[in-house]
Amino acid sequence: MKAIVANVLFGSIFGCLILNYPAHANPLVGEHSGLEIPTSPILSVTAFSNDKLNLVPQVLNFVDRIVTVNKSDNLNFAVAQDKQVIFRDSFSANGNFSDNPSISLEKGSYSHQDQQGKLMLGFQQTFWPSKNNQKYWGLTTIEQWGEHSNQKQKLNLRKLNYTNLAPTLPSGSSALTVSGGGNKNLAKKADSSREFEKFRGGVTFHSGVANNVTMGVGFVYEDLLVGFTQLTYDSDRIPVRTTVSLLAKESGLDVYSHVRFKPAENFVFNYYHDEEKQKFDFNWGMISGFTLTAKGNSQNESLSTGVKIAIHNDFFALTAQAAMDNQQNLHWKLDSRIGSLQFIHKTQEQKHNSELNINLLDSKPLGIKCSAYVKYETRQVKQNQEEFTVWGGRLNSQEKVGKNKHRWSLDLGYGYGAQGQGAIASSSVALEPNMILKLTYQEISRVSDDTKIKLQLSSK
């Protein structure tokens, strides 16, 4: 049963991919970067235009295309758009990265999105309420039609959870979501099994069926096949949006509901309810730069209240958050800047992090910035307090490709703590606004003195 569902889901995924993300099997040899298809491909997908295919053929036509295998043990995979490669790598038959063993999606994920669709590969969150671990390693695509640019609620791929944040689409537009994966990390060396461990996935189709009404139908699979139905009403007249989600199982019906009350841009109240718990969160911007916050969860009987402060001008900036829970634990974060000096601090129950930065050079003619820093971390482990300090310097480009994303960056430091001392260095370059290549060298860390070299390709 798992093998059948896995094949159907991944056939659906690749059927969605071809709409805007044509994938090809490529013989990645040397510096060859072409998109020619080998005569005996492991995976061969031909692109079709949106106006020539209906929804059902788009999904079903490629179920039988995902298992074309040649004699090679490696799968060379590339995703391209408008003849430009946006992701490529080589996987071995057992799911490991073969040609590039140091490139890892072990803890993160790669995402790409434009107006027509979204794609995520790697460690991610299920879009349905999972009874197991909410996160898994897999592939998710979202393909949109019609007036997708007018969507009232933008979807966050990294926090995709339709029961908490359902799509709200204009009348006549639609979106197809296909996702599948398992507990086994395909970017990490493991056993030789070619099957997902604890496979799970789902397919849903959302459509704007009327003004302010969006309906979703589909199925999800976690050990059992479960029907998924969802109805969202987002009123233009009253500041309320409500969503009811139903998961139909053999044992009964699970009901999830979400109500959002937003009478003004500076006031938002969310309430969530299911059979196991009730949750809420609240944000009220009383005056400019000052916000009251609160949240609670009946499952673990937690409740916390706090404030957010944000002050910004040309010389001074301050962003601070503080919250006290019902166990009298204080959690707070501080990010402040005075001229060229920046101080960052974060406090949790057993962990404290501080960082002090000073800007040394900011040259527009050279296009570079240079700064020095010191980082200090303390953590309570049983009865002992561990400390770790890093001194260093940072050189990066003035040009940015996104929020807090420089075109390139070089970081050199020296750390010492309970495990010893040693050099720490990293460099990164933005291949695209949403694709960062990072190389890290580490002789010491807070928990180990093992030397580590790591090459990462991510969208963070």
Side-chain angles (χ1 to χ4, degrees):
M1 179 63 179
K2 288 188 177 182
I4 295 175
V5 174
N7 282 339
V8 171
L9 281 175
F10 276 90
S12 302
I13 288 176
F14 285 110
C16 294
L17 280 175
I18 55 94
L19 296 179
N20 287 291
Y21 308 101
H24 306 270
N26 289 291
L28 306 176
V29 178
E31 298 181 356
H32 178 72
S33 61
L35 295 177
E36 295 85 357
I37 302 176
T39 57
S40 179
I42 297 177
L43 173 66
S44 176
V45 180
T46 306
F48 292 83
S49 61
N50 291 356
D51 57 354
K52 292 182 181 180
L53 291 178
N54 294 325
L55 172 64
V56 174
Q58 285 171 344
V59 174
L60 299 182
N61 282 351
F62 288 87
V63 173
D64 60 348
R65 294 177 182 263
I66 66 171
V67 290
T68 305
V69 181
N70 63 11
K71 295 180 180 180
S72 171
D73 289 332
N74 293 333
L75 186 152
N76 301 308
F77 182 69
V79 177
Q81 183 177 22
D82 298 329
K83 297 183 179 180
Q84 179 183 3
V85 176
I86 59 175
F87 176 79
R88 91 180 321 150
D89 219 301
S90 179
F91 301 83
S92 66
N94 64 4
N96 300 329
F97 277 67
S98 56
D99 289 349
N100 302 297
S102 59
I103 294 179
S104 175
L105 294 171
E106 181 177 341
K107 296 181 179 180
S109 59
Y110 167 79
S111 65
H112 177 82
Q113 55 186 309
D114 57 24
Q115 289 187 343
Q116 282 72 44
K118 301 177 176 66
L119 175 150
M120 173 167 281
L121 173 67
F123 199 57
Q124 57 190 277
Q125 183 166 296
T126 61
F127 68 73
W128 65 92
S130 173
K131 296 296 184 181
N132 303 314
N133 188 347
Q134 190 76 29
K135 291 200 171 185
Y136 71 115
W137 204 100
L139 176 66
T140 298
T141 67
I142 303 175
E143 292 296 330
Q144 298 171 286
W145 298 279
E147 302 174 24
H148 47 76
S149 59
N150 295 329
Q151 183 174 326
K152 296 181 180 180
Q153 184 68 50
K154 299 298 182 182
L155 297 176
N156 186 340
L157 275 174
R158 301 190 179 283
K159 299 179 180 180
L160 201 62
N161 186 337
Y162 285 165
T163 55
N164 287 353
L165 191 61
T168 52
L169 304 174
S171 178
S173 62
S174 57
L176 174 68
T177 304
V178 185
S179 182
N183 292 346
K184 181 178 179 180
N185 191 330
L186 298 189
K188 183 178 181 180
K189 290 186 177 180
D191 54 48
S192 59
S193 172
R194 300 187 183 186
E195 295 183 0
F196 280 107
E197 294 179 0
K198 299 291 185 180
F199 175 84
R200 43 193 166 146
V203 177
T204 64
F205 180 73
H206 285 87
S207 178
V209 296
N211 290 334
N212 307 317
V213 178
T214 302
M215 185 173 183
V217 293
F219 69 89
V220 297
Y221 179 80
E222 277 194 12
D223 296 326
L224 295 172
L225 200 60
V226 177
F228 179 85
T229 306
Q230 187 173 66
L231 190 67
T232 300
Y233 176 70
D234 191 357
S235 175
D236 289 333
R237 297 183 178 181
I238 58 176
V240 173
R241 185 183 71 205
T242 181
T243 299
V244 177
S245 306
L246 306 178
L247 272 72
K249 304 178 179 179
E250 292 183 356
S251 58
L253 195 67
D254 289 351
V255 181
Y256 297 80
S257 62
H258 168 218
V259 177
R260 186 196 69 176
F261 177 61
K262 189 177 181 181
E265 287 298 321
N266 63 339
F267 190 104
V268 180
F269 177 82
N270 288 292
Y271 174 78
Y272 308 90
H273 177 82
D274 59 48
E275 295 179 353
E276 297 180 350
K277 62 183 178 299
Q278 300 176 65
K279 299 191 303 181
F280 80 90
D281 60 69
F282 163 75
N283 286 269
W284 180 20
M286 299 183 63
I287 58 176
S288 178
F290 185 83
T291 303
L292 293 179
T293 65
K295 62 180 180 179
N297 189 328
S298 64
Q299 190 172 34
N300 52 16
E301 298 182 348
S302 65
L303 176 66
S304 67
T305 57
V307 297
K308 295 180 182 178
I309 298 174
I311 303 172
H312 299 276
N313 57 46
D314 292 338
F315 182 75
F316 176 76
L318 172 66
T319 302
Q321 300 180 33
M324 179 75 75
D325 62 25
N326 53 344
Q327 302 297 321
Q328 304 302 310
N329 295 314
L330 178 64
H331 304 262
W332 62 284
K333 295 190 293 185
L334 173 69
D335 188 340
S336 61
R337 177 183 58 83
I338 302 177
S340 60
L341 191 65
Q342 181 186 31
F343 177 69
I344 302 171
H345 182 79
K346 182 177 180 180
T347 295
Q348 295 176 312
E349 295 180 24
Q350 304 294 330
K351 183 179 177 181
H352 306 269
N353 293 85
S354 299
E355 180 175 345
L356 183 65
N357 294 282
I358 183 168
N359 189 27
L360 303 176
L361 175 66
D362 193 346
S363 173
K364 290 184 178 180
L366 296 176
I368 61 172
K369 291 183 178 181
C370 182
S371 60
Y373 64 84
V374 58
K375 300 178 182 179
Y376 178 70
E377 177 184 337
T378 63
R379 184 188 294 263
Q380 193 71 28
V381 180
K382 296 181 180 179
Q383 301 299 320
N384 300 320
Q385 179 173 286
E386 295 183 352
E387 301 179 351
F388 187 63
T389 305
V390 179
W391 295 83
R394 183 176 296 117
L395 183 68
N396 53 253
S397 65
Q398 282 194 334
E399 180 187 2
K400 291 185 177 181
V401 294
K403 186 178 180 181
N404 300 323
K405 293 181 181 178
H406 294 273
R407 173 66 65 182
W408 58 266
S409 180
L410 177 64
D411 200 317
L412 301 174
Y414 192 83
Y416 56 90
Q419 302 297 328
Q421 54 189 355
I424 300 173
S426 66
S427 62
S428 64
V429 60
L431 305 179
E432 287 190 9
N434 61 345
M435 184 186 294
I436 305 295
L437 182 65
K438 184 176 182 180
L439 175 65
T440 303
Y441 172 82
Q442 192 171 337
E443 291 182 348
I444 190 69
S445 69
R446 182 188 59 80
V447 296
S448 173
D449 62 350
D450 295 334
T451 299
K452 296 180 181 179
I453 301 177
K454 183 164 58 175
L455 181 64
Q456 294 175 294
L457 180 65
S458 71
S459 56
K460 293 184 178 180

